[in-house]
Amino acid sequence: MFVFNIVLFVVFFAILLLRIVLYPKAIVQSVTSDFTECTMMAAPVIAWFTITAQIGLTVSQASWGAHTWFLVAYVFWWIGTFLTIVIAVAVIVIISKYDMVNIEGITPALVIPFVATATDAVAGGLIVTYSHYVNARLAVPVIIVSYMLTGIGFFAALMVYAVYLARLLNAGLPPAAQSPSLILLVGPLGQSSAALQGLGSAASSFFKTYDKGTFLMQSAGSVCSAVGVLLGLMLAGMAVFFMAFGAYVILEGAIKRQHKYSLMWWSTIFPIATVNTAFIEFSITMDSPAFRGLSAAFLIFLLIDYFINWAFTLRDIFQGKLLNGSRSDSPASDRVKRQ
């Protein structure tokens, strides 16, 4: 699965680069006129961090991997961190500068850049905790920056939640075709919960070795670990709340037979996986059979969801419903309007 993930990333990133080279004006126009495409700029970085984390978790621990591959993951993490911050700022600048959406047109996609910053923090905690031979000198900067990234992810998401609640109050629930995107609201909370726990565990391990100043000490590391679990439980609770809300809206549309398959259904996977990551962390910090069972159940559900999405996606590709857009140096939204 890790190798398959790399293959998918390389293929689609190459397609993206070709699009940038062949249709540069279309890219600029799409990003500055299409709200969803603007927020989706963060998606490749999220995929980058799934690979980065796996390099630390798996490759550096392999018999042929060792410390060299931790350094690869370490460099990848800093590169991704720079891109994540740039993209998060760029998205806010673009949607503020260009009149592309009003309060009634806001969608949950606005949380994606901030899911990226929280994912960045989770990856940071994972590579310093589980990679082969990590020393405090390398780990502590990652921990500190990851806490800051968690702050961006969580507090920026709070602002998005407030705006989206106003949209729900003004315009009601989204159409059935857009209802799967509601699960995106889960992402920042689940990922922040996992990040706080993972970083707390890392702080507990490395602060005592670093031992400088009044904060980077063993006592502070223990506090970070305990507070991370406490705050993680609160955030996970809110994530489950949003998950239940999204599930209700999706099931209501299903009962009324209002759903048709679209690529938007892929958005139901990653946000729920963030909650599962938090549950796995809870199972470790609490030695909890309940959270271990929940994480196993969620994993089974996610695998089923994953393969169902692949089946429908491949069906629509073979039927010509996907990947058959006309070639044009203009935004996809304009092409759709003309068609």
Side-chain angles (χ1 to χ4, degrees):
M1 292 297 289
F2 176 43
V3 173
F4 184 51
N5 189 27
I6 293 174
V7 171
L8 285 177
F9 182 84
V10 171
V11 169
F12 285 104
F13 190 70
I15 292 172
L16 175 61
L17 288 180
L18 283 173
R19 186 183 176 204
I20 293 172
V21 172
L22 298 176
Y23 306 104
K25 293 181 181 179
I27 285 286
V28 173
Q29 291 175 10
S30 294
V31 168
T32 56
S33 63
D34 188 300
F35 176 76
T36 301
E37 188 142 357
C38 177
T39 58
M40 284 292 177
M41 287 194 298
V45 184
I46 295 174
W48 174 268
F49 283 121
T50 65
I51 295 172
T52 299
Q54 201 68 47
I55 291 173
L57 283 167
T58 302
V59 181
S60 76
Q61 294 290 356
S63 58
W64 47 268
H67 184 63
T68 301
W69 283 99
F70 158 67
L71 295 177
V72 172
Y74 192 79
V75 172
F76 277 19
W77 185 84
W78 283 108
I79 293 172
T81 297
F82 172 77
L83 294 174
T84 301
I85 296 173
V86 169
I87 290 171
V89 173
V91 168
I92 294 298
V93 170
I94 291 170
I95 65 174
S96 302
K97 186 176 180 180
Y98 297 93
D99 186 19
M100 66 173 69
V101 69
N102 55 29
I103 189 69
E104 294 184 358
I106 291 289
T107 71
L110 186 53
V111 304
I112 293 175
F114 312 116
V115 173
T117 61
T119 302
D120 190 349
V122 171
L126 288 174
I127 63 173
V128 299
T129 302
Y130 296 106
S131 296
H132 182 273
Y133 186 67
V134 182
N135 58 53
R137 183 174 61 85
L138 293 176
V140 168
V142 172
I143 295 169
I144 298 301
V145 173
S146 294
Y147 270 119
M148 297 172 71
L149 290 164
T150 306
I152 297 173
F154 175 66
F155 290 109
L158 285 183
M159 295 186 287
V160 176
Y161 292 148
V163 173
Y164 194 69
L165 177 61
R167 179 251 180 265
L168 291 175
L169 294 176
N170 286 336
L173 293 172
Q178 298 179 12
S179 60
S181 68
L182 289 172
I183 302 298
L184 289 171
L185 297 172
V186 175
L189 294 165
Q191 208 71 314
S192 296
S193 174
L196 289 172
Q197 293 179 77
L199 293 172
S201 176
S204 180
S205 298
F206 291 106
F207 280 11
K208 62 183 178 183
T209 306
Y210 201 78
D211 196 24
K212 289 186 178 181
T214 58
F215 178 65
L216 300 175
M217 303 172 64
Q218 181 176 357
S219 57
S222 300
V223 171
C224 287
S225 180
V227 171
V229 176
L230 178 61
L231 293 177
L233 285 167
M234 295 179 181
L235 297 181
M238 192 63 185
V240 171
F241 170 81
F242 275 126
M243 195 158 49
F245 170 63
Y248 166 78
V249 177
I250 291 171
L251 286 173
E252 184 180 51
I255 292 171
K256 296 179 180 179
R257 298 187 177 182
Q258 296 174 333
H259 289 310
K260 290 184 179 180
Y261 185 76
S262 70
L263 292 180
M264 194 172 291
W265 283 93
W266 281 97
S267 64
T268 60
I269 298 177
F270 187 81
I272 297 176
T274 67
V275 178
N276 204 30
T277 305
F279 284 174
I280 292 170
E281 292 284 354
F282 288 137
S283 73
I284 296 170
T285 55
M286 301 181 192
D287 190 21
S288 169
F291 278 112
R292 279 194 288 272
L294 279 173
S295 63
F298 269 62
L299 174 61
I300 293 170
F301 169 80
L302 289 168
L303 283 171
I304 294 171
D305 192 4
Y306 174 78
F307 287 115
I308 288 175
N309 271 282
W310 261 120
F312 278 102
T313 299
L314 292 174
R315 182 204 66 178
D316 287 357
I317 290 174
F318 288 123
Q319 292 181 355
K321 297 178 182 179
L322 294 175
L323 307 182
N324 64 339
S326 60
R327 294 186 179 92
S328 172
D329 197 32
S330 61
S333 57
D334 291 344
R335 297 200 300 270
V336 171
K337 289 176 182 178
R338 290 200 298 271
Q339 292 170 358

